[in-house]
Amino acid sequence: MAGRNEPTIEAIGTPPGPGGIGIVRISGPGALGILSQLFTAKRPTPAPVSHRLTFGWVKRPRSGQILDEVMAVYMAAPHTYTREDVVEIHCHGNFLILQEILVLAQEAGARLAEAGEFTKRAFLNGRLDLTQAEAVLELLQARTNEGLQLAINQLHGGLHSRIQEIVDRLIRIKAIIEVAIDFPDEEVEIINPQEIRLTLSENIIPPLEYLISAADNGKIFRDGIAVVIIGRPNVGKSSLLNMLLQEERAIVTAEAGTTRDTIEEYIAIQGMPVRIIDTAGIRASQDAVEEIGIQRSRQKMAQADVVLFLLDASLPVHQEDLELMASAGGKQLLVVANKSDLCQPQEISALRDRFSGHPLVAISAKHGNGIAELEEALFSLVTGHQAKGWDPGYTTVPNARHRAAMAQACTACRDLLAGLGNELSPDLLAIELQTVLDHLGEIVGYTTAEEVLDTIFGEFCIGK
Ligand SMILES: Nc1nc2c(ncn2[C@@H]2O[C@H](COP(=O)(O)OP(=O)(O)OP(=O)(O)O)[C@@H](O)[C@H]2O)c(=O)[nH]1
Ligand SMILES: [Mg+2]
């Protein structure tokens, strides 16, 4: 637990820009003292009452001048986010007011918090484990309801408790082995390799493997995908972007070469967070600006997870279409036959035959036909499942960091199993076991390297 001499930290907890309310948050042993210097309650109490909002004013201590009318709350440790004394001042959401409260609090002894420092203190003080601290960040950043739900489950300790169960089983085995090390001459056979083997192969490796598969299958719902719309000029790429966004985001004209730069937006498709990128139409061009745009289109195509390859279905397939499609290389590709309102069903069938190696959907980006089918096809392409009625069933989806540690733990468990077969000495078994425990400890934060912690908390915003 952080000691009494931890510095008291402060930050604005609300997003930038004008708002109804802005909150300054202060945490640390000096929090209450700082509040008493800045805040004057309308109805003062003889002693501070914890966890109660109080109406009053923030005054500039030197002049006694009122800065703002506020609600303030003091929350006594340890029942707070950081487990330290915490103070919040809820003022009007004006940046000048928030900024001045920060300065006044600094003059009273606080220092500006680093990114994620509140949550880091919550972690260091044992209020959250590392998976829960990461879940806080995910909760703030989730873009879909599915992602939100996963973050809440993890914050609630979903992953932590699963890992803890596995750790507890390992610790039980370790205790047995340690007895064997401490009493090597005992007549009774203390280590029962068969029992340890069974625990490892049935109660430790399978749950780890399950969590690893959950990480793989749930990844897209957690991290999302980048989808790029690619095609020759005028095929309707920007129209499709606008239709997906339900907003006139990109300029659409009948002229080829309208979009010069890439346009990126975020949408949710069937619960997947999608970064959707409209690009300049690709063709041989003499125009310098257009040429730069086309290079950008190609870069975005190279970086994307999925290519929506758009064709104008009302026109014959052009050599440039084929070249463009070939240049998508090994990307996951969905052929989108646009302007289907201008052609006959048999023309679409002909395209289907022609591009039979790829999934194809027919749409009209202008009128909105086929958009639901497009979303479903995209979902099946990236998940391998039908969108309708598919429930991944995972309430816990470990992230890439957790996955890597679990994979290492699994490998170490298999080594341990092999060691048991070879009748390894108890000392060596204990070392192998500790390796597994260390890998799992990285996930929850027992044995996580300082740099890793810095990276994790560095991703947070200042006020969290
Ligand atoms: N009939 C019909 N017209 C469409 C459809 N989609 C787009 N258009 C028209 O096709 C023209 C080009 O559309 P854009 O969305 O600007 O095409 P683009 O692929 O973004 O073009 P560039 O940015 O120039 O590469 C516009 O006149 C659109 O109204 C469609 O589904 N049906
Ligand atoms: Mg365009």
Side-chain angles (χ1 to χ4, degrees), residues 337 343-356 360 362:
C343 49
Q344 301 299 319
Q346 53 271 31
E347 291 174 86
I348 301 292
S349 312
L351 283 174
R352 246 181 243 291
D353 292 342
R354 178 137 191 198
F355 297 108
S356 59
L360 181 145

Side-chain angles (χ1 to χ4, degrees), residues 237-238 251 258-259 278-279:
K237 299 178 293 300
S238 301
I251 300 172
T258 303
T259 306
D278 178 26
T279 61

Side-chain angles (χ1 to χ4, degrees), residues 113-125:
E114 290 162 15
E117 199 171 0
F118 289 91
T119 308
K120 189 172 186 181
R121 288 190 177 192
F123 164 67
L124 292 175
N125 291 335

Side-chain angles (χ1 to χ4, degrees), residues 231-240 242 251-260 278-283 290 310 312 338-342 363-368:
R232 293 170 59 219
N234 232 17
V235 293
K237 299 178 293 300
S238 301
S239 304
L240 174 57
N242 291 347
I251 300 172
V252 167
T253 71
E255 214 169 287
T258 303
T259 306
R260 293 299 187 95
D278 178 26
T279 61
I282 297 180
R283 64 174 166 187
E290 188 177 2
L310 228 63
D312 183 338
N338 189 33
K339 308 197 187 182
S340 62
D341 53 299
L342 300 180
I363 66 162
S364 168
K366 188 169 181 174
H367 303 293

